[in-house]
Amino acid sequence: MADGTGAGDRTDDPGRGIAQRQEEPHTDYGGAVYGSLQAASVVAGTAAFGPFPRAGLVLLLLITGLVFWVAHVYARLVGDLASYRYLTWDRIRHVAGQEWPIAQAAVAPAVAVAISPLLRLDLPGTAWFALSVAVAEQIGWATAAAIRARASRRLVALSIAVNLVLGLIIVVLKANLH
């Protein structure tokens, strides 16, 4: 932490610099799962207000994704006490890049809403389509994380099951709000 990288950036090899770590492919699966849950919640939450215009739902998804991304970047920077002493634009960019999957997760459901007229979906059908995309995305990211971590098949299956249950809870909430 003395180098300004923060506790979350430590490796077992103290000789490795932050530039080397940034070159390695890194996907924040947790952020992507979180962002997918957040997008599904946005779609489900709009059901309480009746049918939402497509353009409004697209904007709501994307803006909410960006707001949560900014909030997570800020929280990580503030939560890392070393950031106060070593806060640089490079550090901000690094953290912003790591947290970006939270915002990215809103894109697929927003695209689903945008293309729904091509599929001849009405507004309620559009909401269900976007919700399905968000839940599928959430399950996909969680599965990818478990596989990339070389988890056992049992743990991969458990990860899928847990994320399916979380997604179904949001689906049930949407059904009850509508």
Side-chain angles (χ1 to χ4, degrees), residues 44-150:
T46 61
F49 303 107
F52 221 78
R54 284 180 179 90
L57 185 52
V58 167
L59 285 173
L60 186 61
L61 281 163
L62 295 176
I63 290 169
T64 303
L66 288 172
V67 166
F68 274 78
W69 168 67
V70 168
H72 276 255
V73 169
Y74 176 75
R76 277 214 28 220
L77 290 171
V78 169
D80 181 6
L81 297 178
S83 289
Y84 286 111
R85 198 164 174 195
Y86 299 101
L87 189 59
T88 65
W89 283 112
D90 283 342
R91 177 74 182 136
I92 293 169
R93 278 192 296 276
H94 177 73
V95 170
Q98 285 186 327
E99 297 293 334
W100 186 242
I102 292 171
Q104 280 180 312
V107 173
V111 168
V113 172
I115 67 167
S116 66
L118 300 173
L119 302 172
R120 299 180 186 201
L121 295 174
D122 59 4
L123 291 177
T126 295
W128 282 110
F129 180 46
L131 181 59
S132 299
V133 167
V135 171
E137 181 180 49
Q138 169 204 335
I139 293 167
W141 282 119
T143 303
I147 290 169
R148 180 133 187 227
R150 295 187 173 113

